[in-house]
Amino acid sequence: MSKTTDWRRLFVEGAAVVASILLAFAIDAAWGERDQREQARERVAAVEAELSVFITQLEAEVVSLRRVEEAAQFALGSIAAGSASTTLPDTVLAALLFIPGIDPPLTAARTALEEGALVSLGRATVADSLSGWPEWVASQRANERETFRFVVEELTPHLREAAELSGVFPIGRPWLDGSLPEGWTSSVVQVSGSLELRNLLAERLFNATLSREDYEALPARATRLRDMLSEGSR
């Protein structure tokens, strides 16, 4: 005896199977999208933390550069007012030999940009603002590189001829703790004054001022970027 195929039942069962498969795909896609967005948020949070570290680093470096400026002004005033020979605090000489150096943390920013974290969160405008940040930071460090060259190749060799520096190099960074001269406890070093030394000190002052001005501009821009990132996370 032949059986009649229940096409209606088969259709319903097939449709149910297809629907369950599509539902499984939809759920999987929804979870995948959720994971992707969560990862993107983590990337953005890492950039915010990175910018906060950089802002703190820059603010400390600005303070150091102000000490260098004060040291150069103090030395210029002492040598100009004295004879061919004068005395300077060893901490003043240590500050003059200080080379500014920032190590901007940019790993999180580059990773977020490469992975399109902000774009996936619908924040393409913020991504555009962040995209130029690494290059902009690099461009602001031009005076830092020039200062390194100047201190190593010009100022230090001349000071070696003009003063005893054996007690100066180990001092470290005392200029972070106060302004000249009251905030500094130091010994004095006999320095041979000359027109060349005064010119070098004037150039050191000029370079320190340029570097400080560059570094002072960076925290404001970093803060704006951080605020733009945090606004979308609220």
Side-chain angles (χ1 to χ4, degrees), residues 26-89:
I27 292 172
D28 187 61
W31 278 105
E33 183 179 348
R34 178 181 175 181
D35 289 344
Q36 185 181 33
R37 290 179 67 82
E38 184 60 32
Q39 185 180 52
R41 291 191 185 95
E42 290 174 359
R43 292 284 187 261
V44 172
V47 178
E48 290 180 50
E50 196 172 72
L51 288 170
S52 295
V53 169
F54 190 33
I55 290 167
T56 301
Q57 184 184 111
L58 285 165
E59 289 172 345
E61 204 70 7
V62 166
V63 172
S64 296
L65 285 167
R66 286 191 185 281
R67 300 292 81 82
V68 175
E69 289 179 273
E70 291 168 355
Q73 290 168 341
F74 184 87
L76 278 168
S78 299
I79 292 175
S83 59
S85 180
T86 189
T87 57
L88 290 174

Side-chain angles (χ1 to χ4, degrees), residues 100-139:
I102 56 173
D103 184 19
L106 297 169
T107 302
R110 291 193 174 108
T111 300
L113 290 168
E114 289 170 2
E115 295 182 358
L118 287 161
V119 175
S120 68
L121 294 173
R123 306 182 64 196
T125 301
V126 181
D128 288 341
S129 298
L130 183 63
S131 64
W133 173 246
E135 290 74 20
W136 196 80
V137 170
S139 71

Side-chain angles (χ1 to χ4, degrees), residues 55-229:
I55 290 167
T56 301
Q57 184 184 111
L58 285 165
E59 289 172 345
E61 204 70 7
V62 166
V63 172
S64 296
L65 285 167
R66 286 191 185 281
R67 300 292 81 82
V68 175
E69 289 179 273
E70 291 168 355
Q73 290 168 341
F74 184 87
L76 278 168
S78 299
I79 292 175
S83 59
S85 180
T86 189
T87 57
L88 290 174
D90 55 3
T91 44
V92 169
L93 291 168
L96 292 173
L97 296 173
F98 167 66
I99 299 173
I102 56 173
D103 184 19
L106 297 169
T107 302
R110 291 193 174 108
T111 300
L113 290 168
E114 289 170 2
E115 295 182 358
L118 287 161
V119 175
S120 68
L121 294 173
R123 306 182 64 196
T125 301
V126 181
D128 288 341
S129 298
L130 183 63
S131 64
W133 173 246
E135 290 74 20
W136 196 80
V137 170
S139 71
Q140 296 302 298
R141 300 182 68 187
N143 283 323
E144 180 182 315
R145 292 188 292 273
E146 168 56 24
T147 297
F148 180 88
R149 185 207 62 77
F150 172 75
V151 171
V152 171
E153 297 180 10
E154 297 187 47
L155 182 59
T156 300
H158 187 85
L159 284 177
R160 284 200 189 103
E161 297 293 327
E164 172 59 60
L165 300 180
S166 59
V168 172
F169 292 117
I171 289 175
R173 298 176 58 159
W175 50 90
L176 286 175
D177 300 324
S179 59
L180 286 170
E182 292 81 9
W184 296 25
T185 301
S186 62
S187 303
V188 295
V189 177
Q190 194 75 20
V191 178
S192 299
S194 67
L195 177 60
E196 183 180 2
L197 178 57
R198 288 195 295 272
N199 288 336
L200 288 170
L201 291 172
E203 188 172 350
R204 183 69 177 104
L205 174 59
F206 178 70
N207 287 340
T209 301
L210 286 181
S211 294
R212 174 182 55 77
E213 290 173 350
D214 283 346
Y215 288 170
E216 282 179 330
L218 283 169
R221 182 157 181 167
T223 300
R224 285 195 298 272
L225 270 175
R226 186 184 60 185
D227 292 345
M228 290 171 69
L229 291 167

